[in-house]
Amino acid sequence: MEKKYRGIIPPIISPVDEQERIDIEGYQSLLDYCIDGGLHGIFVAGTNGETMSLTQKERNKIIKTTLQHVKGRIPVIAGVMDTSTKRVIENIKALEDMGGTCAAVTSVFYDRHTSQDETIRHFEKILQETNVELVIYNIPSFTGLKLSAKTVMKIADMDQRVVAYKDSSGSYAEFMEVLERYRDTEFSVMQGVTGQALSAVLMGADGFVPALAPAFPQMFVSAYEAARSGNVELTKKYNALVRESSKILGMSKNATAAAKYAISLRGFTDKRVMMPQDYIQPEDEKKIVKKFREIDEAYAALKAQE
């Protein structure tokens, strides 16, 4: 069964200029590079897209730009995460007005979480008030609440419009519990922790969401295809390469700055991060350039061996 939400769906960056306005031209070129590189979807306005640093106007602008430029060539998932159910519904209404059809929803944040039930109620109300498809997004490092497998399954079973799960919790055992439950259904189960991703795909996961896929789209697609085919030996080689690429994110104080700089090396966008984040230092740039070239060379060598 080929699912709608599958493969490599990157949490794409939000490139900005000196006034922190969205760089439309550069962003459109990056989108084309991602699509031409074989990526299977785009997750716009996520953590890597600095969505909570954008004003609501700029967030809507980059979502609208994505929808208009992609033009249905691949699926687009839009981040609508916010601090209350009311605010998320408002964000989804704006997405619907733009023609968007799929929203990634987290638990609310900047809140005193008291139970798993609050997130169940959150999704229930969103389903009542909106019409788009929903992706359950479990990212406790940013929301302060780790959704249990039981909670995820309760939400997934609410409505057919709940179409996918992205798990960035790092809890592999619970991820596998959800995967087993929905293995032969239309519901997609995607890994959000890149270090766990290829083993998860070997076990049947539908895809993953790597921050650096816009920098190395073909490499990540090849890695996914190796795991999806069940070629364990080739997947081991790609796993080593993917894990090596992930070292880039630790080469700066700010992982977002490292990702933006690495992606900027393709020549489409600027490295700039939004205030008040730490920006990348010159000594970090040198390390990333070196690793970036090593990954390109290693990927070319691996492809030549296949």
Side-chain angles (χ1 to χ4, degrees), residues 7 36 45 56 89 98 107 117 127 175 183 190-191 210-211 214 216 218 241 252:
D36 292 345
Q56 192 61 49
I89 289 171
M98 289 182 269
S107 300
D117 290 340
L127 285 164
F175 175 82
R183 184 181 296 278
M190 297 183 291
Q191 181 56 248
F216 307 104
Q218 293 176 330
L241 186 54
S252 174

Side-chain angles (χ1 to χ4, degrees), residues 121-169:
R121 291 193 297 272
H122 183 54
F123 275 84
E124 285 174 338
K125 184 65 172 176
I126 291 167
L127 285 164
Q128 291 167 7
E129 299 290 334
T130 67
N131 299 301
V132 298
E133 295 176 333
L134 302 180
V135 175
I136 307 165
Y137 186 7
N138 191 6
I139 182 164
S141 58
F142 287 86
T143 65
L145 179 70
K146 183 174 85 69
L147 299 180
S148 68
K150 181 179 179 181
T151 296
V152 171
M153 292 186 283
K154 279 186 177 181
I155 296 169
D157 291 342
M158 283 180 186
D159 193 286
Q160 289 184 337
R161 286 186 290 123
V162 184
V163 294
Y165 174 49
K166 180 198 171 188
D167 184 13
S168 297
S169 72

Side-chain angles (χ1 to χ4, degrees), residues 80-270:
V80 297
M81 52 283 292
D82 220 311
T83 53
S84 72
T85 304
K86 181 178 181 179
R87 291 170 71 99
V88 171
I89 289 171
E90 185 176 277
N91 294 343
I92 294 177
K93 293 291 187 182
L95 174 64
E96 290 174 341
D97 290 342
M98 289 182 269
T101 59
C102 186
V105 178
T106 66
S107 300
V108 298
F109 43 87
Y110 200 72
D111 196 16
R112 290 186 175 91
H113 293 292
T114 55
S115 70
Q116 298 280 308
D117 290 340
E118 66 178 28
T119 300
I120 293 171
R121 291 193 297 272
H122 183 54
F123 275 84
E124 285 174 338
K125 184 65 172 176
I126 291 167
L127 285 164
Q128 291 167 7
E129 299 290 334
T130 67
N131 299 301
V132 298
E133 295 176 333
L134 302 180
V135 175
I136 307 165
Y137 186 7
N138 191 6
I139 182 164
S141 58
F142 287 86
T143 65
L145 179 70
K146 183 174 85 69
L147 299 180
S148 68
K150 181 179 179 181
T151 296
V152 171
M153 292 186 283
K154 279 186 177 181
I155 296 169
D157 291 342
M158 283 180 186
D159 193 286
Q160 289 184 337
R161 286 186 290 123
V162 184
V163 294
Y165 174 49
K166 180 198 171 188
D167 184 13
S168 297
S169 72
S171 180
Y172 196 80
E174 290 200 276
F175 175 82
M176 288 304 302
E177 189 176 344
V178 176
L179 178 58
E180 289 298 329
R181 170 67 175 77
Y182 298 101
R183 184 181 296 278
D184 297 316
T185 71
E186 293 183 357
F187 184 82
S188 297
V189 180
M190 297 183 291
Q191 181 56 248
V193 178
T194 301
Q196 299 178 356
L198 290 181
S199 63
V201 174
L202 276 172
M203 296 299 291
D206 298 297
F208 61 107
V209 189
L212 288 174
F216 307 104
Q218 293 176 330
M219 185 267 284
F220 276 98
V221 170
S222 295
Y224 165 76
E225 290 174 347
R228 196 67 174 167
S229 72
N231 187 331
V232 175
E233 291 307 313
L234 184 58
T235 301
K236 286 180 181 178
K237 294 176 182 178
Y238 273 111
N239 187 58
L241 186 54
V242 165
R243 292 176 71 87
E244 196 66 24
S245 72
S246 293
K247 291 180 181 179
I248 287 172
L249 299 176
M251 290 180 171
S252 174
K253 184 185 296 185
N254 180 356
T256 301
K260 272 194 157 180
Y261 180 67
I263 293 166
S264 78
L265 294 175
R266 294 299 180 195
F268 306 113
T269 59
D270 192 83

Side-chain angles (χ1 to χ4, degrees), residues 35-46:
I35 295 170
D36 292 345
L39 299 185
H40 303 88
I42 295 293
F43 176 22
V44 60

